[in-house]
């Protein structure tokens, strides 16, 4: 499971239907033994808390055991071992590998080396397909489907890895329009733009969120990182233009839902958390059941 | 033939014709011929061509290359023709065609691509998204390389 582009619409819908069942099991507190006897390696070569814990929880909920190989301090990687050897070792210990790295393509590389299935849990700025599946599943739950939605994606479209995967995932459905809202220096990278062009995703790039806020069903927010701006003054200027505030939401549809891959810092005013628009905590809660479904499917224990 | 005034015919070997003017050295680089192998190699550059204005020609004596090896020169010489010479006769003649993927040979422009990471065994691999102009896409990180840029990323 390396890229969301490996999934057809049918595949994603099937994944969603299994996720529905996992959610139900969780709500019933049912004890599951689907992954009993299985060891899941969580290979986090770049620090992550949320994604790692969510995979770990999903493994435990399915009755499996997780082997955590996290950060590169105090491990063989720090001693100069290459990724290939680390992957080979963990592959021999476990039944599935979940891998996160700051290098683009690491999951594909791992899949070439490992005998067991590999799940990409984020590779540099390239892709973060499981997050995109959660994002799509959230829309599917909130609106009963993704077709026909008008979706705004706000913030750092250039470096946020969730964005590429989300856009690729959206090409499998028929959204009415996708508005890409960002300052001009944080527009999509060429390869992402080329790919969504080839796959005929309807989209428009805009700089001013006020232009489109009234049309949106979904507003997907990502953080604009200070480090991206060489000039702190410039950053201060754009920061507030791309911030979600109660004032902005006065112009929104009543049933607009706001999504965010989390963690959020100050791109969403905390007062928004209390409104009906905030769907990001709900979205985060779907991480575990979706990753349960995915683990059950890639290991083949769910048929 | 004017060209024959410059370089004599070869008895056995490979003649690569219709190389865009100035690209002959790049062609040899792609073929992995440095000169140290000992083959007699003739390079003719910037001569008149009816087909493409000006062109380069490369003749490699007593050396036959596989079609797979030769097709890679389409990266810099998309309309090159290959003439296989045996006993002064052209026994085979064909136009190069770019393969659908290219493994090794080109370094990914993205410094944080896994194929560039020190000490790993990942070999760069590109999908050919378009032939004319050439557009390549890294199979690891999806970074694209366009047309003339490709020469910058040829691995030594």
């Amino acid at each position: 499971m390396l890229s969301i582009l490996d999934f057809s619409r049918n595949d994603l819908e099937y994944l969603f239907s299994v996720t529905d069942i996992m959610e139900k099991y969780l709500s019933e507190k049912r004890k599951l033994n689907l992954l009993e006897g299985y060891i899941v390696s969580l290979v986090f070569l770049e620090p992550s808390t949320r994604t790692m814990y969510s995979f770990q929880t999903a493994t435990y909920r399915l009755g499996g055991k997780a082997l955590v190989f996290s950060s590169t301090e105090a491990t063989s990687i720090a001693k100069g071992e290459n990724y290939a050897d680390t992957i080979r070792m963990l592959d021999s210990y476990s039944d599935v590998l979940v891998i996160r790295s700051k290098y683009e393509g690491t999951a594909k590389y791992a899949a070439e080396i490992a005998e067991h299935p590999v799940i990409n849990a984020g590779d540099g700025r390239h892709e973060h397909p499981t997050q995109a599946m959660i994002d799509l599943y959230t829309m599917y739950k909130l609106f009963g489907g993704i077709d026909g939605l008008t979706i705004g994606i706000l913030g750092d479209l250039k470096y946020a890895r969730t964005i590429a995967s989300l856009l690729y995932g959206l090409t499998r459905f028929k959204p009415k329009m996708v508005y890409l809202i960002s300052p001009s220096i944080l527009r999509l990278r060429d390869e992402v733009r080329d790919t969504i062009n080839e796959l005929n995703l309807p989209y428009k790039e805009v700089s001013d969120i006020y232009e489109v806020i009234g049309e949106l069903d979904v507003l997907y927010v990502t953080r604009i990182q200070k480090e991206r701006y060489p000039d702190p003054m410039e950053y201060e200027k754009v920061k507030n233009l791309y911030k979600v505030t109660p004032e902005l939401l006065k112009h929104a549809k009543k049933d607009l839902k706001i999504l965010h891959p989390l963690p959020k810092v100050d791109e969403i005013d905390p007062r928004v958390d209390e409104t009906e628009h905030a769907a990001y905590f709900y979205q985060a809660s779907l991480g575990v059941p979706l990753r349960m479904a995915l683990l059950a499917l890639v290991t083949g224990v769910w048929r | 033939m004017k060209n024959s005034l410059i370089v004599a015919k070869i008895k056995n070997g490979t003649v690569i014709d219709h190389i865009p003017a100035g690209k002959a050295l790049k062609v040899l680089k792609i073929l992995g011929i440095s000169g140290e192998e000992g083959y007699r190699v003739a390079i003719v550059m910037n001569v008149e061509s009816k087909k493409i204005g000006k062109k380069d020609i490369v003749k490699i004596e007593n050396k036959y290359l596989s079609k797979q090896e030769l097709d890679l020169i389409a990266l810099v010489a998309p309309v090159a023709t290959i003439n296989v010479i045996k006993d002064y006769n052209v026994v085979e003649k064909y136009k190069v065609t770019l393969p659908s993927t290219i493994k090794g040979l080109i370094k990914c422009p993205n410094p944080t691509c896994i194929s560039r990471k020190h000490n790993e065994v990942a070999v760069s691999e590109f999908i050919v998204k378009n032939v004319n102009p050439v557009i390549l896409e890294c199979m690891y990180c999806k970074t694209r390389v366009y047309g003339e840029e490709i020469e910058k990323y040829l691995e030594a």
Side-chain angles (χ1 to χ4, degrees), chain A residues 229-294:
Chain A
Y229 279 84
D231 180 354
M233 287 277 285
E234 276 299 304
Y235 170 74
E236 289 302 319
K237 260 190 261 169
V238 301
K239 192 177 81 171
N240 291 320
L241 292 176
Y242 296 92
K243 190 168 172 167
V244 180
T245 59
E247 292 72 43
L248 171 72
L249 295 174
K250 280 179 195 154
H251 305 274
K253 280 188 189 173
K254 197 172 145 289
D255 50 3
L256 165 79
K257 297 295 179 193
I258 302 169
L259 272 61
H260 190 300
L262 302 181
K264 63 182 171 69
V265 184
D266 52 8
E267 57 277 25
I268 300 179
D269 188 309
R271 288 173 292 171
V272 175
D273 294 357
E274 310 301 322
T275 67
E276 289 290 309
H277 297 301
Y280 29 88
F281 299 124
Y282 172 65
Q283 175 191 8
S285 77
L286 300 175
V288 170
L290 187 123
R291 288 180 171 123
M292 286 168 73
L294 203 56

Side-chain angles (χ1 to χ4, degrees), chain A residues 105-122:
Chain A
T106 305
K108 176 179 156 54
Y109 179 49
E112 289 164 1
I113 295 164
E115 303 272 325
H116 293 105
V118 172
I119 296 177
N120 184 1

Side-chain angles (χ1 to χ4, degrees), chain B residues 6-7 19 23-25 28 41-45 56-59:
Chain B
I6 303 173
V7 180
I19 300 167
K23 304 291 183 193
L25 296 172
L28 285 170
V41 177
I43 303 168
V44 182
M45 296 177 86
D56 289 4
I57 305 167
V58 169
K59 299 185 181 191

Side-chain angles (χ1 to χ4, degrees), chain B residues 18 48-55 79 81 93 95:
Chain B
H18 300 114
E48 280 66 37
S49 158
K50 276 182 202 153
K51 269 195 197 167
I52 57 172
K54 279 191 170 186
K55 67 176 182 179
V79 296
T81 41
K93 184 171 183 148
K95 287 198 163 75

Side-chain angles (χ1 to χ4, degrees), chain B:
Chain B
M1 280 263 292
K2 270 187 184 172
N3 290 336
S4 61
L5 295 174
I6 303 173
V7 180
K9 282 187 173 181
I10 57 173
K11 186 178 181 195
N12 292 304
T14 309
V15 175
I16 307 169
D17 200 355
H18 300 114
I19 300 167
K23 304 291 183 193
L25 296 172
K26 294 273 171 1
V27 165
L28 285 170
K29 190 176 178 184
I30 291 176
L31 295 174
I33 293 171
S34 67
E36 290 180 354
E37 297 82 1
Y39 301 112
R40 294 216 296 182
V41 177
I43 303 168
V44 182
M45 296 177 86
N46 298 309
V47 294
E48 280 66 37
S49 158
K50 276 182 202 153
K51 269 195 197 167
I52 57 172
K54 279 191 170 186
K55 67 176 182 179
D56 289 4
I57 305 167
V58 169
K59 299 185 181 191
I60 312 160
E61 202 176 42
N62 294 322
K63 173 75 176 168
Y64 299 105
L65 292 133
S66 71
K67 185 167 187 310
Q68 284 99 310
E69 289 172 284
L70 287 162
D71 274 345
L72 289 173
I73 71 168
L75 286 170
V76 296
V79 296
T81 41
I82 306 298
N83 297 277
V84 181
I85 313 289
K86 281 184 183 156
D87 206 18
Y88 296 108
N89 291 315
V90 178
V91 294
E92 201 187 342
K93 184 171 183 148
Y94 60 87
K95 287 198 163 75
V96 293
T97 46
L98 208 54
S100 56
T101 64
I102 292 163
K103 200 163 180 167
L105 199 67
I106 297 160
K107 186 168 84 171
C108 181
N110 169 18
T112 55
C113 176
I114 191 73
S115 69
R116 294 267 308 260
K117 186 173 176 290
H118 171 70
N119 207 20
E120 300 294 342
V121 293
V123 177
S124 78
E125 193 166 1
F126 289 84
I127 296 178
V128 177
K129 299 292 282 189
N130 199 45
V131 174
N132 195 14
V134 181
I135 301 174
L136 307 178
E137 184 180 275
C138 173
M139 286 178 76
Y140 288 100
C141 71
K142 292 203 186 75
T143 299
R144 290 187 177 194
V145 197
Y146 301 87
E148 293 273 304
E149 265 178 24
I150 289 165
E151 293 177 22
K152 277 196 292 189
Y153 299 106
L154 284 175
E155 305 243 34

